[in-house]
């Protein structure tokens, strides 16, 4: 989506997939990353908005009952933004052309003469059954599939669905929308000769951590749905293939299914932990608590970066510092050798890894972020007397390390590479979701995640447990009067995931 061509905008009708973040296409992700404006639906997974640019305009166009934005308003908005020369992403749940009015929006955009692109998505009609262990086709059961809507255009006086034809057609039939009309739909089916014992499955919130499946037959499913309060959004599958679920149900057997887990990190870092927990079936509420911003005095930091080669040592104290440093470095220089003969110290494994990502060697890697330990590590490899050291760190970080290094005789400069500010925006609606629906557990991966979460001042949801990555984080949690319910034995993401699994296994067993 290079903006160089001209200043005409373009509208991308993008399928956001059925819910599972892993089921979004690469093209959809690219469109979201590049968009100036994103207009998203109630059923489009809001976690995808985490990929948006910080300055993107994000507009919710949910059409839950009682909400005001009309279809006409949404279409006009898309056209207006397109005319302004914007790259507009219209994000829709599932596939944009499977129900949900995507086709109508596309027609109007085309009629308005705005360039557009369609990015297909995985529809809930296929993914929902698949995640419930129901293949839509099977050589031994059927040879065709029908998609139909249970929610007809209310302006139509007569049913547009020919239930007689549906009954005769057989095969697998998938109904989207209209779960609340299931009684009427199944009566029509029975009236037209569909077998009363034909298997039916309803899959709600398919492919998310809240997925639930209800099975029955054409005769009893409507009544079961009411009895279980089984409401939208759900897909209904009618057909003999439903019986394959007995063998093929996989998703709902995962250990953390239905658990609501809060992950508190900056957006970029959250994905590894979130993805692991998601793949175990959890519903993740990704709650960014802080945001990394350039330092107040960026010019001063840039000057230090420019002079990096005059130092004997550069000390990185965080992965964010490494990123901020090289971001500027490679704007100034196009050759890594410009860094000269400087040696590099990185505190902690994540920081060291980030240095290595830039293909630079780490000469010294103190494990602990305790000033005394770092100074000791320095002294072990020789005197720091009169060595020129640049300490790259966050603004307002504790200044013990530079002091200790100076006290040991080094000539120390401090580079303020970035600052962290509380993330008060709620772009993906995670804060709202937490307030309204609560959570089973919150993860803390460092003391700062604890402090930053508490600084947001959100009410603590009832019954939300705490998982901590290790003793230092746990101490911070306790210092704030909270209880640690489980602590990782190995102090990394793997270890934390393991501890969470064990915690839920214990509390369930
Ligand atoms: N374009 C969408 C469908 C839009 S119509 C798609 O391709 O999936 C909205 C209907 O889709 C809902 O009423 C429900 O029947 C179905 N749906 C969408 N997401 C769903 C999900 N995660 N689980 C179950 N049903 C879903």
């Amino acid at each position: 989506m290079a903006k160089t061509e001209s200043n005409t905008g373009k509208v991308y009708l993008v399928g956001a997939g059925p819910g599972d973040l892993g089921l979004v296409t690469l093209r959809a992700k690219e469109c979201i990353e590049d968009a100036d404006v994103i207009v998203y639906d109630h059923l489009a997974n809001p976690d995808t908005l985490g990929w948006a640019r910080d300055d993107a305009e994000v507009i919710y166009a949910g059409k839950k009952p009682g909400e005001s934005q009309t279809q006409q308003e949404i279409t006009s908005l898309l056209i207006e933004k397109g005319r302004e020369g914007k790259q507009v992403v219209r994000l829709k749940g599932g596939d944009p052309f499977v129900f949900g009015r995507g086709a109508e929006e596309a027609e109007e955009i085309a009629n308005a003469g705005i360039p557009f692109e369609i990015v297909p998505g995985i529809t809930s009609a296929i993914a929902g059954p698949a995640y419930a262990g129901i293949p839509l086709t099977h050589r031994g059961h059927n040879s065709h599939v029908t998609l139909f809507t249970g929610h007809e255009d209310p302006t139509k006086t007569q049913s547009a669905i020919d239930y007689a034809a549906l009954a005769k057609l057989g095969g697998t039939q998938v109904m989207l929308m209209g779960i609340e009309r299931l009684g009427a739909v199944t009566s029509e089916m029975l009236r037209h000769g569909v077998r009363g014992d034909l298997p039916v499955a309803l899959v709600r919130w398919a492919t998310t951590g809240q997925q639930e499946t209800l099975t029955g037959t054409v005769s009893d499913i409507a009544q079961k749905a009411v009895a279980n309060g089984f409401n939208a959004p759900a897909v209904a599958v009618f057909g003999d293939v439903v019986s394959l679920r007995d063998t093929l149900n996989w998703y709902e057997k995962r250990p953390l299914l239905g658990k609501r887990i809060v992950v508190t990190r900056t957006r970029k870092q959250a994905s590894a932990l979130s993805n692991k927990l998601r793949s175990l079936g959890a519903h993740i509420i990704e709650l960014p608590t802080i945001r990394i911003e350039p330092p107040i005095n960026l010019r001063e930091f840039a000057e230090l970066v420019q002079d990096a080669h005059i130092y004997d040592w550069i000390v990185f104290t965080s992965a964010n510092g490494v990123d901020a440093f090289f971001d500027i470095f490679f704007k100034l220089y196009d050759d890594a050798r410009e860094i000269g003969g400087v040696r590099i110290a990185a505190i902690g494994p994540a920081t060291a890894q980030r240095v290595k990502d830039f293909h630079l060697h780490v000469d010294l890697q103190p494990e602990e972020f305790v000033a005394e330990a770092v100074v000791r590590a320095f002294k072990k490899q020789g005197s720091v007397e009169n060595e020129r050291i640049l300490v790259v760190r966050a603004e307002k970080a504790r200044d013990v390390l530079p002091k200790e290094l100076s006290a040991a005789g080094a000539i120390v400069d401090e580079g303020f590479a970035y600052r962290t500010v509380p993330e008060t925006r709620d772009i993906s609606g995670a804060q709202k979701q937490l307030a309204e629906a609560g959570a089973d557990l919150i993860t803390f991966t460092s003391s700062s995640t604890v402090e930053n979460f508490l600084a947001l001042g959100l009410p603590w949801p009832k019954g939300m447990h705490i998982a901590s990555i290790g003793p230092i984080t746990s101490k911070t949690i306790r210092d704030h009067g909270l209880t640690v319910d489980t602590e990782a034995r190995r102090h990394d993401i793997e270890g934390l995931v393991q501890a969470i699994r064990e915690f839920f296994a214990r509390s369930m067993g």
Side-chain angles (χ1 to χ4, degrees):
M1 286 204 280
K3 276 193 235 164
T4 44
E5 309 157 6
S6 69
N7 60 359
T8 48
K10 190 165 173 183
V11 178
Y12 298 78
L13 264 168
V14 177
D20 183 341
L21 201 60
L23 297 183
V24 182
T25 65
L26 293 175
R27 181 65 184 139
K29 182 165 185 261
E30 230 168 56
C31 290
I32 293 168
E33 284 168 348
D34 290 351
D36 297 312
V37 182
I38 300 174
V39 182
Y40 74 105
D41 261 2
H42 168 51
L43 284 175
N45 182 351
D47 287 341
T48 56
L49 300 172
W51 297 323
R53 293 193 333 241
D54 275 343
D55 63 344
E57 185 184 356
V58 178
I59 302 167
Y60 176 67
K63 288 184 292 173
K64 277 196 273 185
E67 274 161 346
S68 58
Q69 223 160 12
T70 64
Q71 185 59 47
Q72 193 47 53
E73 283 168 345
I74 296 170
T75 315
S76 308
L77 180 71
L78 298 175
I79 292 171
E80 179 195 313
K81 295 288 179 187
R83 289 223 168 100
E84 284 171 18
K86 303 270 171 64
Q87 302 294 311
V88 184
V89 165
R90 171 68 172 123
L91 200 58
K92 298 184 82 75
D95 179 273
F97 276 0
V98 175
F99 299 120
R101 304 232 190 175
E104 289 157 68
E105 290 179 17
E107 279 180 310
E108 293 217 30
I109 292 159
N111 287 338
I114 312 266
F116 64 94
E117 180 178 322
I118 309 298
V119 182
I122 297 185
T123 174
S124 61
I126 289 177
Y131 270 48
I134 302 166
L136 292 188
T137 71
H138 186 293
R139 218 157 56 97
H141 291 281
N142 70 326
S143 52
H144 56 261
V145 177
T146 309
L147 302 188
F148 72 102
T149 168
H151 173 84
E152 298 182 13
D153 188 336
T155 58
K156 283 183 203 158
T157 44
Q158 277 194 331
S159 172
I161 293 169
D162 183 344
Y163 284 98
L166 267 191
K168 202 160 146 237
L169 190 62
T172 303
Q173 303 183 344
V174 183
M175 183 183 91
L176 265 61
M177 303 188 278
I179 191 81
E180 60 288 343
R181 293 189 66 250
L182 197 60
V185 170
T186 50
S187 306
E188 281 300 294
M189 286 181 160
L190 290 169
R191 200 160 71 85
H192 288 98
V194 172
R195 269 163 49 213
D197 64 352
L198 183 75
V200 184
L202 308 180
V203 193
R204 90 183 273 265
W205 283 118
T207 81
T208 74
Q210 306 172 75
Q211 174 173 320
E212 280 176 280
T213 302
L214 186 69
T215 53
T217 63
V218 174
S219 322
D220 66 15
I221 194 72
Q223 173 232 324
K224 274 187 167 179
V226 173
N228 286 281
F230 209 88
N231 41 25
V235 295
V237 195
F238 301 82
D240 288 313
V241 286
V242 169
S243 61
L244 293 164
R245 171 174 159 83
D246 294 342
T247 329
L248 299 181
N249 178 18
W250 59 281
Y251 185 78
E252 289 161 33
K253 292 199 170 138
R254 297 187 307 168
L256 298 182
L257 186 81
K259 297 294 175 224
R260 298 172 57 84
I261 302 182
V262 181
V263 171
T264 62
R265 308 186 88 179
T266 58
R267 272 200 258 154
K268 270 190 199 142
Q269 297 170 318
S271 49
L273 177 58
S274 298
N275 288 345
K276 286 214 167 79
L277 293 171
R278 250 186 224 118
S279 70
L280 295 170
H283 173 77
I284 301 301
I285 304 166
E286 218 164 68
L287 203 112
T289 53
I290 53 163
R291 198 164 70 229
I292 306 295
E293 296 240 308
I296 302 273
N297 198 337
L298 184 61
R299 174 185 292 261
E300 185 184 283
F301 180 62
E303 281 165 7
L304 290 170
V305 174
Q306 187 166 23
D307 292 340
H309 57 269
I310 71 165
Y311 291 93
D312 298 303
W313 284 97
I314 300 177
V315 184
F316 291 108
T317 61
S318 69
N320 287 322
V322 178
D323 282 342
F325 180 94
F326 286 106
D327 198 35
I328 294 180
F329 186 86
F330 286 115
K331 276 190 187 121
L332 295 168
Y333 303 113
D334 55 12
D335 183 348
R337 286 170 296 187
E338 297 285 356
I339 203 159
V342 63
R343 279 170 295 168
I344 295 178
I347 301 174
T351 312
Q353 185 51 52
R354 196 59 62 91
V355 173
K356 290 171 196 163
D357 291 345
F358 287 98
H359 303 284
L360 288 164
H361 178 68
V362 175
D363 301 279
L364 184 67
Q365 189 183 325
E367 284 302 323
E368 258 187 297
F369 197 0
V370 177
E372 297 74 27
V374 176
V375 174
R376 230 180 294 125
F378 263 102
K379 283 186 174 160
K380 230 191 237 164
Q381 53 78 50
S383 165
V384 290
E385 189 83 45
N386 289 326
E387 297 272 278
R388 300 208 56 171
I389 302 181
L390 174 63
V391 178
V392 175
R393 61 181 187 81
E395 237 172 63
K396 286 199 266 180
R398 293 172 308 166
D399 60 355
V400 203
L401 179 60
K403 272 197 195 128
E404 292 278 332
L405 287 170
S406 300
I411 303 153
V412 182
D413 283 326
E414 287 179 84
F416 301 118
Y418 63 95
R419 68 199 165 106
T420 54
V421 297
E423 179 59 282
T424 45
R425 305 169 305 181
D426 188 25
I427 295 173
S428 66
Q431 296 188 4
K432 185 162 167 265
Q433 211 194 114
L434 182 64
E436 286 173 3
D440 297 297
L441 182 122
I442 184 165
T443 60
F444 288 121
T445 51
S446 67
S447 292
S448 58
T449 58
V450 180
E451 273 145 13
N452 295 326
F453 176 77
L454 294 175
L456 292 178
L458 305 174
W460 192 272
K462 197 162 158 276
M464 182 166 78
H465 294 99
I466 297 181
S468 156
I469 201 163
I472 299 173
T473 305
S474 296
K475 180 172 182 309
T476 309
I477 295 167
R478 293 193 188 101
D479 286 349
H480 284 91
L482 297 165
T483 308
V484 176
D485 296 287
T486 182
E487 183 184 289
R489 278 190 300 276
R490 228 179 73 192
H491 312 313
D492 56 13
I493 297 299
E494 268 317 325
L496 184 59
V497 170
Q498 187 58 31
I500 292 169
R501 287 188 69 158
E502 288 167 8
F503 172 74
F504 282 118
R506 267 201 312 276
S507 62
M508 286 189 294

